[in-house]
Amino acid sequence: MSTKKIGFWSSTSLVVGNMIGSGVFLLPASLAAYGAISIVGWICSSLGAIVLAIIFGNLGKLAPETTGGPYAYTRLGLGRFPAYLVAWGYWISIWCTNAAIAVALVGYLEVFFPILGKNQLLAVLTGLGFIWLFTWVNSKPIKTVAFVQLVTTILKIVPILLIAFIGIAYIKMDHFTPFNLSGESSLSAITATTTLTLFAFLGMETATVPSSSIKNAASTIKRATVFGTLITIIVYILSSVAIMGIIPPDVLVTSNAPFADAAALFWGESAKYIVAAGAVIATLGALNGWILIQGQIPMAASQDKLFPKIFGKINKNRSPIIGIVLSSILASILMGLNYTKSLVDAFTFMMKLSTLSVLTPYILSTISLLILLHKKEGFIPLPKMILSSLSILFCIWVIIGCGTETILWGLVLLIIGIPFYVYLTKKSS
């Protein structure tokens, strides 16, 4: 078995690469209905992301050789049932994310194939086609997709940075007024936009997942997680301000490819296709990577007898293909059900559901940090107590921001998982 381990820059690129996915490419359209107040939402979610990044950095320092991220930390701190809820919630979040990525992918393909914006059935079938293409790809040896992931990570950052830095020169200040377009109170609008923008930060904890494969994990994970999050914040806020300043709010709210539309306004139609191609490649890479993860998380839980055995079964290429297929079926159903809405509305709903599902792992990981600190040191240092309290309060605030419909969906999905836990516990006892 190889003893090679990854260092600081590889760990940082893992964090940045997993965070900058399809979310940012369609988010400006989801935020346009709120107006410039969404920038405040970006700032709030950025501050929350920094707090969570520090939490996961501290967890990585406390348990440097523990592989499995939030699931493993929760099991260490709180035991089997909370760890099961984390694995279940994280798993739900992943296939909800994949449904959202597929929707974003179709939105950018519409630049090349306008019929996708007019024919709903064709749009659904296209999204499903890509979900199942990458389900097949992930049945192959992992090395076959590693190079693709590296290339797509670079290609997805380039168009965002171009729009962010060059687009600032084309900003029109009247696009930022009125400040709040939503018709809701400022607090409601900030809460809603914080919830939406936090989706773009999901993945900040990914350097903690392969802890045992990282050099000097105790210090590297913390630095990579915080530094990677800071890089992502700069990229997100600059590009979001640029897009809002370039495209009028009434046009942006209906755009299925905001970055491509922005490029077309100041570089001409040909630039629109170049940026859209970059976004398509990026979403393909994100979909490929997250479909890989949707098999790995339940497989790890299955090996601990916290998920059905079927999720732990691997093929000759050591791929947990049955878990991947079952997850892709659920992503396909969710995507199909929500295509009765507009593309932006469907994407927004799936973003909220994905964000809600990952907040349970974030809260339980934070509580586990307090328990592990107390076990190790006999007390909890005041700065870490304050930080953990801020993390929990932030997560609760975002849960409220998800809205009644999303919370009910999330609650039903979480409750569905409990009978499985009871069955698995009885079976293994």
Side-chain angles (χ1 to χ4, degrees), residues 363-375:
I363 290 171
L364 293 177
S365 293
T366 304
I367 295 167
S368 294
L369 173 65
L370 296 174
I371 292 167
L372 292 171
L373 278 169
H374 193 269
K375 280 181 183 176

Side-chain angles (χ1 to χ4, degrees), residues 31-91:
L31 295 170
Y34 296 92
I37 200 167
S38 61
I39 296 167
V40 181
W42 268 119
I43 293 166
C44 290
S45 64
S46 297
L47 293 171
I50 290 168
V51 169
L52 286 162
I54 295 169
I55 293 287
F56 282 110
N58 281 317
L59 281 163
K61 193 173 181 179
L62 272 174
E65 295 302 316
T66 304
T67 294
Y71 162 73
Y73 298 137
T74 303
R75 185 160 186 192
L76 278 175
L78 291 164
R80 286 175 64 83
F81 180 60
Y84 169 79
L85 289 180
V86 165
W88 183 263
Y90 210 75
W91 177 57

Side-chain angles (χ1 to χ4, degrees), residues 138-142 292 295-296 299 303 311-322 324:
N138 277 282
S139 70
K140 304 298 174 190
I142 197 166
L292 172 71
Q296 297 293 321
M299 180 177 72
Q303 288 167 350
F311 284 93
K313 291 192 174 179
I314 55 174
N315 64 10
K316 64 181 181 180
N317 297 317
R318 302 200 61 76
S319 164
I321 189 61
I322 296 175
I324 291 174

Side-chain angles (χ1 to χ4, degrees), residues 179-243:
F179 188 62
N180 181 2
L181 289 171
S182 68
E184 302 172 12
S185 69
S186 293
L187 180 61
S188 295
I190 292 167
T191 302
T193 53
T194 300
T195 301
L196 289 172
T197 52
L198 185 64
F199 174 81
F201 290 108
L202 303 188
M204 75 191 76
E205 72 286 352
T206 46
T208 68
V209 177
S211 296
S212 60
S213 300
I214 294 176
K215 289 178 196 169
N216 304 316
S219 61
T220 302
I221 289 171
K222 187 171 183 177
R223 288 189 301 125
T225 302
V226 175
F227 189 64
T229 302
L230 288 171
I231 291 171
T232 307
I233 286 167
I234 293 164
V235 171
Y236 280 168
I237 292 180
L238 285 176
S239 62
S240 188
V241 170
I243 294 280

Side-chain angles (χ1 to χ4, degrees), residues 316-334:
K316 64 181 181 180
N317 297 317
R318 302 200 61 76
S319 164
I321 189 61
I322 296 175
I324 291 174
V325 167
L326 290 172
S327 305
S328 289
I329 289 170
L330 293 166
S332 300
I333 291 168
L334 181 63

